[in-house]
Amino acid sequence: MIWLFVIGRIFFFYLVTIKKWKNTEATIIYSQTEWFRSKTDSDNEGWKQIIKYEYSVHDLKYKNDCVTKNISFLSPFKDSAKKYTFAKGQKIQIAYNSINPNNSIIEDRFDFSTLIIPIVFYIFLGVFLF
């Protein structure tokens, strides 16, 4: 049930909410693949790509690191964690919330692989329960 809520929320964001956002140019200020370990869950660790970017809205500068709302997982392999090939100083397009410009995102499309994770989970759950 939780997966349905999470997927529904992501789906709503990409199909409704982000359509109201505006686009602007941003500059990559940091892009590295780093080892990540959760402070609350010691089992949650792996490689993660960290991307930070800077952009201006009405002559005010903002910084953010939000890349996607789609479900993504940490990788045990450094090379497979690198999804984007951004370089420091590179110009990219982002979407931002015109009401609250602190909210921005690089990836502006729903990734249908986000649906695969809960489907596989429920298939395995069904197989083990029956």
Side-chain angles (χ1 to χ4, degrees), residues 18 21-28 53-57 62 64 66-67 86 91-97 101 103-108:
I18 202 166
W21 288 20
K22 295 185 178 183
N23 293 321
T24 191
E25 186 177 81
T27 304
I28 299 295
Y53 52 93
E54 184 176 67
Y55 58 102
S56 295
V57 176
Y62 297 92
N64 204 341
C66 184
V67 175
F86 295 134
K91 304 289 184 190
I92 61 168
Q93 287 293 311
I94 62 157
Y96 72 93
N97 183 343
N103 291 334
S104 64
I105 194 164
I106 294 174
E107 197 170 272
D108 63 355

Side-chain angles (χ1 to χ4, degrees), residues 33 47-49 74-75 77-84:
T33 306
W47 291 99
K48 178 180 182 179
Q49 188 174 17
L74 299 173
S75 172
F77 309 106
K78 186 175 184 178
D79 290 338
S80 63
K82 190 170 185 174
K83 184 176 177 184
Y84 304 94

Side-chain angles (χ1 to χ4, degrees), residues 31-81:
S31 179
Q32 296 291 325
T33 306
E34 299 177 353
W35 182 258
F36 174 83
R37 185 171 197 173
S38 174
K39 294 177 183 174
T40 58
D41 181 6
S42 63
D43 291 336
N44 193 8
E45 62 183 17
W47 291 99
K48 178 180 182 179
Q49 188 174 17
I50 308 294
I51 300 170
K52 297 179 183 180
Y53 52 93
E54 184 176 67
Y55 58 102
S56 295
V57 176
H58 304 297
D59 295 326
L60 294 174
K61 288 196 178 255
Y62 297 92
K63 291 181 183 179
N64 204 341
D65 62 357
C66 184
V67 175
T68 185
K69 298 276 186 188
N70 291 304
I71 293 176
S72 60
F73 288 98
L74 299 173
S75 172
F77 309 106
K78 186 175 184 178
D79 290 338
S80 63

